[in-house]
Amino acid sequence: FFYGDVQRVKILYNKKDSALIQLSDGNQAQLAMSHLNGQKVFGKVMRVTLSKHQTVALPREGLDDQLLTKDFSGSPLHRFKKPGSKNFQNIFPPSSTLHLSNVRDAVGEDDLRLLFSNGGGTVKAFKFFQDRKMALIQMTSVEEAIQTLMELHNYDMGGNHHLKVSFSKSTI
């Protein structure tokens, strides 16, 4: 997750389009709320508010038959585990321009344009950084960029390379 480390998620039983999401701390929750509230995703406006619950409780053994609660506390994908990590400096609001990193040597601009267009989005602009391990890619809208980021962050490019995708403050 781009604004904090998700610890637990619970999709609400009677309201499947709503969820409780527990992040590592209140600052991360505040960051997520300030950047994501009001953004459009899959045609719907996302509403993000602080919950009255401090934690998402895990169901007792065998009681979550619908698998609505998931624990991510041990996830290797957490980006903010280390205090002072450079990831804290690279947190930006959603934008139509995405920053790509961990790009494999053999992957070219056409490969990335195709990958980012496969989900139905349109790539407006593309620019490799000098080392070709990072790039900027601009989608046609913020909503498209959010959806593409959700689909392609941590995408397995083979050879133990997982593509890292985040919002960029830069434009192309």
Side-chain angles (χ1 to χ4, degrees), residues 98-113 115-116 126-137 152-166:
L98 299 171
H99 179 273
L100 316 181
S101 61
N102 206 31
V103 177
R104 281 186 72 171
D105 290 336
V107 174
E109 178 177 341
D110 289 344
D111 300 315
L112 289 168
R113 280 180 174 271
L115 178 65
F116 277 73
F126 181 91
K127 181 178 142 195
F128 262 122
F129 283 60
Q130 206 164 358
D131 67 0
R132 297 183 65 86
K133 292 185 184 335
M134 293 190 287
L136 294 175
I137 194 161
L152 295 177
H153 176 67
N154 208 44
Y155 178 82
D156 187 352
M157 300 188 79
N160 205 22
H161 272 76
H162 289 82
L163 186 64
K164 304 296 179 208
V165 184
S166 57

Side-chain angles (χ1 to χ4, degrees), residues 1-64:
F1 186 63
F2 312 99
Y3 299 114
D5 293 331
V6 174
Q7 300 300 310
R8 294 180 180 164
V9 174
K10 178 184 184 87
I11 297 170
L12 303 184
Y13 182 78
N14 290 324
K15 204 171 177 196
K16 299 277 192 290
D17 65 348
S18 298
L20 294 173
I21 301 171
Q22 179 183 334
L23 298 170
S24 293
D25 63 44
N27 289 338
Q28 292 178 7
Q30 196 68 48
L31 203 57
M33 188 173 71
S34 67
H35 286 309
L36 296 175
N37 187 46
Q39 294 292 338
K40 270 181 93 173
V41 182
F42 300 111
K44 289 183 157 188
V45 175
M46 192 177 351
R47 294 285 163 230
V48 183
T49 59
L50 293 177
S51 172
K52 64 181 180 186
H53 302 282
Q54 292 299 306
T55 60
V56 173
L58 290 174
R60 288 196 299 275
E61 194 78 28
L63 289 182
D64 190 16

